[in-house]
């Protein structure tokens, strides 16, 4: 690859169509959202796009600034896709990865603040009626290696071994190639995640193999890699960089994140949308407005 | 007074009915909320209940745990009462008093995080349509004397002299006599506020005289004074304390706040309700759901 | 007991001296701090003071407002005591229990923000020299049941099973009988903790049995139980309550926390002291000032 | 200019030496810090480097990762320079500009959390001895236009008119040309600031003219403009862009901020250093360690 991205969709786009084997792709549109399903079916596909075998679902929203007016419909689309990836029964553990202290990396923890955690309230007295009959959900903000000294994968493995969920959903920030995707594209996949990849700190993989239960990763691009951005600008300027030169520059490590000025709003809006979508996926009998009302006050 | 409270209603309740002159009181019920209007009309009234001449509106909610389901109706009742106290036109400055770092004192700053500030967006390009035609609203979190070295009244006076609002709304935590009122009673008044009174640090008065424009105070009890609680418990135990003894104990300074264990939820819920009510009072053409959608994502 | 406290010292004080068997007590003074060692040696002792067999070390500081000038000496005393309770070698996991959103309950999480976590930096390039040769330390803020749906004990068990520390240190808020102890008394013990006891929500025990490794609990009183305070005031007033009546009142559940107005400073100061003490106990070759410098900037 | 920077130093470096009139420049080294004084003495100088007439002092630190070990000496150098810019007597108002919710923009508010505000404590009972005889200092976090609806300049003007300080110090994030300066260069100047310039939102000027008292701006680069970074990379690649083309690209508005991955640490360290330097400049009789001890616990 001669640029950096965590999105299967962007990798797929960059590959000459003729040469792809082992990739299935379908596109549909729901409620104004373009939903692309990419399935990597074998090793040829893996090699072609540099992503592991599995399913990658990408939802492209028309623009987060219209989020307030479309929360209900957009979250429905995402909830349906999330539900298609998780088992029907059993506790689901939702983990918000990333560092609260770095705005574009805070999307995971921010989502957990809006999560409807219910695993503990079965049979508790005085619970609002609206909370009975709910699916069991647990939430966790594991923190980051630099502060805890513990790999996120280790923390999750430990907690999974105790509470034995039927699935784990991890939410994390991603890096995309393009600024226009920040906060407006959501990637769901069943192949797990390397925490910190959005901010360039790849850590131990968190996936179905390492945790022993299905792992669904929900990622939202909140940064563009600095080198990638610069190279794209070069090309926009009409400068023709040799493929080889571009690749060499991409491989140099610089660790710069590029974000828009209003990154706080981007993260806030995307976290609202993702957390509502997860809550709806898990509590399929509740309406969006009921969930919003409860989460904002429980 | 032989107990401590910031609520005109509680003071009024403690005074023998026969002896009150200079107080007018009416009670009504709207959407399940008991709304009491107390007007202190002269100095006799002032002396009787220890509150300055002016209007005190107290709304008693059935219980904040049902807040999520009733946000729409409750905020309507409060919005109507707030609207009755402020001028129809002109910018309104809303100030959230109190210390973010002390949970029961954080209700003012927390309300400002949900305030729809609009004074700056007139004519800005790219604003959502829903934000055109809005009343001009400014918000401020002035901080507390211990951290800034500046009296809140001084900060507000300064800002008022620059932006010349037609009214100021200040939101602050109060102390009530009874635990059952915490987070469930809202007092509106047109006589201003002493910031910090809820947590026992009386500072320079903020009112129409000191600011030169109408000042509406919105207060929510989030603490009970420790001494008051103790004395009430003594009486519940059937111990009969002489009036004089009780008064002397009340006058001793101890500075203890009593809060329920789940004070974080109390503050969170009350802040949602108050901020929605203020937003609705100021933007009377918008629905509660439109405001909620915008505030949670703008 | 006819009052509520989490301090072994306060329970011991309330028991008639003649009747105590199974309790050993020694008192010493170091750097102006009164240090009391209480050992509950058998079931008689357990019953007498209502605390499990084990060691309880209580440090009574002269007053937190003088904390800034005495940080160096006080943390040395505490560090020595902590070191006496933990194994010499192996990773130590330090967990900060409690709810960040409730000021008096935030002391555990606040301590972890000042913890020198080192488990991950062995051999990392570019580390400051001062960080080589450090003992391996991991930190965790597990959150609270109401937000995560998972008992803290479960999270810790899971993480312990993965990182296999030689000991766990848990830091939590406590309730004491007396206001004067808030933030100025520190209890260390080797019998574990019930998270949330400070704020009246007892949860699954966290101790050596449940975690399978030595568990050292560090607790700081940050609240007084409302009922206990009220009853003490009654007695200060010269009212003589029958023992039986007092006990009955204590057993009624009310869930009120009493804190001083400046609880944010109390928690901040105590967290600084505890975290420095823990860091010094674990990194015995480093000076207090080196640790402070690193922690405030790494 | 064919790149974007808020640093007078970087602008000066880019101008051919022969052509500069109206600029005086001296360089010295203190405690390992390179300190450059640039004085723009007339309009020719203004035009040459695009900065207003006045003094610009730039301190270049050897690297923030060594901050912990050098805090004492580095803060001394900065304190001396700050002291040279402010009047000897009278209250000083220190304002922390920027948005707490955007990591690189949070440096101003973060500095105020470590500020020793003293204006209110003159004569307060129970103050530690160490706080008597202090210079009067006030602190303010005015918030950002998008949240308050009020220009920062308006808020400061209002507060200045009430508390009548002898000078105002404003602390803000800046944009520099080069990544290596982020968190390691500090610019002091007596020409004021446009809040938000670091993140590309220029607002009403805050300076001696607008506030009516001397205004000292302390700025720390925490972002690099995205376009500037990209263009520099292009040139590093050996691509020769025409001056004119470069300028046109720079003038296009994109609003992208580039930060390093560990921006949270950069901001934390720089805020510690700046706030300590300001505190030392204002309280010249106190040692760095006394100030640190008080600020971390008061």
């Amino acid at each position: 690859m001669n640029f950096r991205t965590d999105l299967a969709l962007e990798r797929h786009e960059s590959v000459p169509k003729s040469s792809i084997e082992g990739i299935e792709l379908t596109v549909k549109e729901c409620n104004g959202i373009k939903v692309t399903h990419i399935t990597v079916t074998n090793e040829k596909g893996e090699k072609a796009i540099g992503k592991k075998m599995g399913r990658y679902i990408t939802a492209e929203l028309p623009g987060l600034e219209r989020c307030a007016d479309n929360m209900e419909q957009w979250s429905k689309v995402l909830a349906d896709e999330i539900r298609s990836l998780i088992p029907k029964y059993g506790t689901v553990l939702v983990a918000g990865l990333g560092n609260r202290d770095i705005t574009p990396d805070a999307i995971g923890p921010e989502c957990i603040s809006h999560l409807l955690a219910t695993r503990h309230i079965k049979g508790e007295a005085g619970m609002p009626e609206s909370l009975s009959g709910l699916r069991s959900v647990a939430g966790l903000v594991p923190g980051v290696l630099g502060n805890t000294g513990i790999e996120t994968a280790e923390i999750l493995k430990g907690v999974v071994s105790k509470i034995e969920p039927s699935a784990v959903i991890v939410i994390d920030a991603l890096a995309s190639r393009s600024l226009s995707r920040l906060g407006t594209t959501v990637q769901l996949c069943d192949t797990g995640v390397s925490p910190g990849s959005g901010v360039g700190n790849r850590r131990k993989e968190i996936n179905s193999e390492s945790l022993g239960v299905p792992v669904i990763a929900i990622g939202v691009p909140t940064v563009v890699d600095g080198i990638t951005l610069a190279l794209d600008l070069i090309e926009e300027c009409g400068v023709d960089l040799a493929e080889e030169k571009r690749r060499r520059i991409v491989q140099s490590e610089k660790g710069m994140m590029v974000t828009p000025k209003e990154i706080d709003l981007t993260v806030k809006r995307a976290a609202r949308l993702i957390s509502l979508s997860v809550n709806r996926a898990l509590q399929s009998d509740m309406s969006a407005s009921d969930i919003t009302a409860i989460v904002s006050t429980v």
Side-chain angles (χ1 to χ4, degrees), chain A:
Chain A
M1 285 298 133
N2 59 12
F3 59 90
R4 295 179 190 159
T5 182
D6 293 320
L7 294 177
L9 184 66
E10 288 187 336
R11 290 181 176 264
H12 184 268
E13 282 168 358
S14 75
V15 178
K17 294 307 159 270
S18 60
S19 73
I20 302 188
E21 261 180 274
I23 305 278
E24 288 165 12
L25 182 140
T26 63
V27 181
K28 60 183 174 183
E29 185 153 332
C30 324
N31 291 354
I33 299 179
K34 186 179 162 198
V35 179
T36 308
H37 284 240
I38 294 176
T39 310
V40 181
T41 57
N42 61 31
E43 285 183 11
K44 280 192 185 160
E46 283 196 342
K47 214 166 168 183
I49 70 167
K51 289 294 218 181
K52 286 194 295 186
M53 265 185 275
R55 299 165 64 189
Y56 299 84
I57 302 172
T58 314
E60 296 172 86
L61 312 172
L64 266 192
E65 68 279 5
R66 280 190 282 152
C67 194
D69 299 329
N70 296 281
M71 204 52 109
E72 159 81 35
Q73 293 121 290
W74 293 357
S75 63
K76 187 178 178 319
V77 174
L78 289 172
D80 287 345
E81 298 292 343
I82 294 168
R83 211 179 291 120
S84 78
L85 293 171
I86 54 173
K88 276 209 171 128
Y89 304 102
T91 293
V92 173
L93 171 63
V94 186
L97 312 190
N99 187 340
R100 264 188 222 279
D101 293 338
I102 299 179
T103 312
D105 203 28
I107 192 167
E110 180 74 6
C111 283
I112 302 303
S113 346
H114 305 302
L115 181 72
L116 191 51
T118 59
R119 180 173 171 266
H120 58 303
I121 57 177
K122 299 276 169 179
E124 275 205 13
M127 269 299 124
E129 260 177 63
S130 45
L131 293 183
S132 66
L134 294 186
R135 182 166 187 174
S136 169
V137 175
L140 198 68
V141 177
V144 292
L145 181 63
N147 295 338
T148 63
I150 318 175
E151 290 273 359
T152 303
E154 292 176 301
I155 296 177
L156 292 186
K157 270 184 228 178
V159 173
V160 163
S161 74
K162 291 303 153 196
I163 73 171
E164 300 185 343
S166 66
V168 173
I169 295 176
V170 292
I171 306 175
D172 201 8
L174 300 180
S176 80
R177 174 171 192 167
S178 120
L179 285 166
S180 67
R181 288 196 185 284
L182 302 188
T184 64
T185 295
V186 180
Q187 175 175 279
L188 315 176
C189 75
D190 60 6
T191 61
V193 72
S194 299
S197 66
V199 293
N201 295 306
R202 295 197 168 267
R203 304 298 182 185
K204 278 191 194 170
E205 289 273 328
I206 295 168
N207 54 37
S208 307
E209 272 165 65
S210 64
L211 298 193
V213 296
V215 172
I216 309 310
I218 303 181
V220 180
T222 58
V223 298
V224 170
D225 171 69
I227 299 275
T228 297
L229 176 80
L231 292 175
D232 284 356
L233 255 170
I234 291 178
E235 286 170 16
E236 276 180 38
C237 297
V239 178
D240 201 15
L241 229 51
E243 182 83 353
E244 179 46 32
K245 187 159 199 177
R246 187 175 169 108
R247 187 165 306 154
R248 231 171 337 113
I249 298 174
V250 166
Q251 278 151 14
S252 71
E253 179 53 72
K254 289 276 169 108
M256 295 166 296
M257 310 183 297
V258 184
T259 57
K261 292 177 303 186
E262 68 280 16
I263 181 67
D264 56 332
L265 292 185
T266 303
V267 167
K268 196 178 165 192
R269 286 167 186 162
R272 287 269 164 183
L273 177 62
I274 299 298
S275 54
L276 180 57
S277 305
V278 169
N279 286 330
R280 292 185 78 178
L282 295 172
Q283 312 300 346
S284 40
D285 295 341
M286 290 179 76
S287 71
S289 62
D290 279 0
I291 288 175
T292 302
I294 290 177
V295 165
S296 67
T297 55
V298 172

